[in-house]
Amino acid sequence: MVKESMVGMEIQQVGHQPSSPSPSTSTTSSSNPNHAPATPSWWESISKARAHIQSLSTLFPSDLSLSSLADSDRPAFSLLQSPATFAAVSGALCSPDSGAGDDPLCHWLYDTFQSSDPDLRLVVLSFIPLLAGLYLSRVVHLGPTPSLAGFEAVLLALYACEAKLRNGKPVLISVPDLSQPSLYHAPRVPPPSHKQPNVAVLSDPLEPQLAVKSTKRACIVAVALDSYYKKISHMPSWSKLDLCEFASAWAGQNCSCRGEFDREQEPFSCFENPSRGYADDAENLEDEMEKLEIGDKGLPNGDSVENGRFFRGSRIPLPWELLQPVLRILGHCLLAPMNEQDVREAAGEAVRSLYARAMHDVMPQAILATRSLIQLDKRARAIAKETIISVASNPSTPSKPRKPEILLASK
């Protein structure tokens, strides 16, 4: 009954369209055509956030105290950045009986995402990598026997929101015309009006979905991950780590081709001769450079706990529509300058595992995309190594960058 009620809420949101406006709506629009929906005030947002935090604290009466978060100036943002909250919710989601239709935590995630507070929605989005990873791993290997209506309701809520934003239109991108000398040249002869050779479809229009069917499962999860990617700059590092670890587990390839590009590079041996003058503090420098290396140790598959973090993942089918948002997220984790080092390490492992999987599955798009990310990762690591060596070889080099000179020109 709970599963039917949660899915029924999705039916009303996705499929139901009122045929005529309500009397209050028509009265408002007729009296003021330029009337815009009122945004919640600051105190209303604070009150909503505190109410959701209090309802979450009831799910963890003895393990988690959220009173300090509720009393802060930005309760939802404090909840998003709380490691203790993330660990407690992750542990609950990773339990064997999670994801069912009567799961109270899934109810909380669903209700919280329906709120109009953007910070509360960010809190729900931060758990999407873990929720999607658990859902795909369980539904593929355990079959339809376990009830996962709770997970599916949250995923359908994100899908319905994105479908509403796209308004039945596809996502288009502009493709450069390779017949021109450069990207900045306009075509000499404009194309006919009925042809658009420089426009490609990145994503087809989203159709309303009332349930998670097996044929639409990858699309629904991909849309949820794409919604996560749009807000990834606000996501905490532990949320990004979840996606990287599940991507490695989904690939399920730990063969030798994972390190194909790493073996092409000659081994780095700047510490073989300490008398070369740039390894005065060789021990500290070597430790820093070891952090920039991709190790041979793969990320855990199956069920395990490491450093208080929960993992559950296994090899699953990876169609291209699901790989696209995953690779976008991994690209951010690899190349964004503000990411922590452990996030980059996990993303490097995931990209190499996905490259090996693409090679075994013979997927040209995935091979090209993962190969490009590996090359960019190698280039970034090489630049970081050169920077460390140059700083160690020149002790007089200032550690902080100089402020740029400001030249004032008179008119």
Side-chain angles (χ1 to χ4, degrees):
M1 294 296 294
V2 178
K3 176 179 178 182
E4 295 178 356
S5 61
M6 296 183 67
V7 177
M9 298 175 68
E10 293 299 330
I11 296 175
Q12 294 179 4
Q13 180 180 1
V14 182
H16 178 68
Q17 297 293 337
S19 58
S20 60
S22 60
S24 59
T25 305
S26 60
T27 304
T28 304
S29 59
S30 61
S31 60
N32 188 3
N34 298 325
H35 176 75
T39 58
S41 63
W42 173 80
W43 180 247
E44 289 177 352
S45 300
I46 294 293
S47 302
K48 288 183 179 180
R50 289 178 177 176
H52 283 277
I53 291 177
Q54 293 298 333
S55 62
L56 179 62
S57 63
T58 59
L59 304 180
F60 307 95
S62 59
D63 301 334
L64 187 62
S65 176
L66 302 178
S67 58
S68 59
L69 302 180
D71 295 336
S72 62
D73 295 336
R74 298 180 61 185
F77 182 78
S78 301
L79 184 65
L80 175 66
Q81 301 295 331
S82 173
T85 303
F86 192 87
V89 176
S90 299
L93 288 177
C94 291
S95 62
D97 56 347
S98 64
D102 56 350
D103 188 349
L105 185 55
C106 291
H107 278 270
W108 183 87
L109 292 172
Y110 180 90
D111 295 336
T112 304
F113 186 78
Q114 301 299 332
S115 65
S116 58
D117 191 344
D119 287 341
L120 285 176
R121 287 194 166 195
L122 290 178
V123 174
V124 179
L125 287 175
S126 65
F127 295 104
I128 290 304
L130 179 60
L131 189 147
L134 292 171
Y135 173 71
L136 290 178
S137 300
R138 293 181 184 180
V139 77
V140 169
H141 292 276
L142 300 181
T145 303
S147 175
L148 300 176
F151 287 165
E152 292 177 349
V154 179
L155 294 174
L156 281 173
L158 271 71
Y159 180 89
C161 180
E162 185 65 21
K164 183 178 179 181
L165 291 176
R166 296 187 187 183
N167 196 20
K169 299 179 181 179
V171 178
L172 305 178
I173 58 173
S174 298
V175 180
D177 188 0
L178 300 180
S179 63
Q180 301 300 321
S182 71
L183 301 177
Y184 305 100
H185 282 74
R188 298 178 180 177
V189 179
S193 58
H194 63 279
K195 292 184 179 181
Q196 293 181 345
N198 296 334
V199 177
V201 177
L202 182 63
S203 177
D204 294 328
L206 298 180
E207 301 176 355
Q209 300 295 330
L210 306 181
V212 182
K213 301 178 181 179
S214 59
T215 56
K216 296 294 183 179
R217 182 181 297 121
C219 175
I220 293 174
V221 176
V223 170
L225 292 176
D226 188 64
S227 301
Y228 174 86
Y229 172 72
K230 292 179 180 179
K231 302 294 183 180
I232 195 172
S233 60
H234 304 281
M235 294 294 107
S237 59
W238 45 80
S239 176
K240 301 175 186 178
L241 280 173
D242 278 338
L243 191 280
C244 297
E245 291 157 2
F246 272 110
S248 296
W250 290 344
Q253 290 296 145
N254 293 320
C255 58
S256 59
C257 58
R258 291 179 66 254
E260 175 182 345
F261 294 94
D262 299 320
R263 287 194 300 269
E264 294 176 358
Q265 187 177 6
E266 296 182 359
F268 188 77
S269 58
C270 64
F271 300 104
E272 293 180 357
N273 187 3
S275 62
R276 295 170 67 180
Y278 55 78
D280 296 333
D281 53 347
E283 294 182 359
N284 296 334
L285 182 59
E286 187 173 8
D287 293 338
E288 292 295 329
M289 297 187 65
E290 285 179 354
K291 296 179 182 179
L292 300 174
E293 295 290 343
I294 286 291
D296 295 333
K297 181 180 67 174
L299 292 171
N301 288 333
D303 297 332
S304 62
V305 179
E306 181 178 324
N307 297 328
R309 294 182 53 79
F310 297 86
F311 301 93
R312 181 179 176 89
S314 53
R315 181 187 173 97
I316 64 171
L318 290 176
W320 177 239
E321 60 181 345
L322 179 60
L323 271 178
Q324 289 185 65
V326 172
L327 293 177
R328 294 191 196 106
I329 298 173
L330 292 179
H332 168 89
C333 296
L334 275 176
L335 306 175
M338 299 303 293
N339 283 329
E340 298 180 0
Q341 188 62 34
D342 55 349
V343 175
R344 299 184 183 182
E345 292 293 331
E349 292 281 354
V351 169
R352 284 160 173 81
S353 297
L354 290 174
Y355 170 76
R357 172 68 178 273
M359 291 292 293
H360 283 264
D361 293 349
V362 193
M363 297 179 61
Q365 308 99 317
I367 293 174
L368 179 61
T370 52
R371 187 172 181 175
S372 300
L373 288 177
I374 293 174
Q375 295 290 0
L376 291 173
D377 180 39
K378 287 181 56 180
R379 186 178 304 175
R381 292 174 184 275
I383 294 175
K385 288 181 180 180
E386 293 176 0
T387 303
I388 294 175
I389 292 176
S390 63
V391 171
S393 59
N394 299 316
S396 60
T397 302
S399 58
K400 296 183 179 180
R402 296 175 56 187
K403 295 183 179 180
E405 298 180 358
I406 302 176
L407 302 178
L408 300 179
S410 60
K411 296 183 180 179

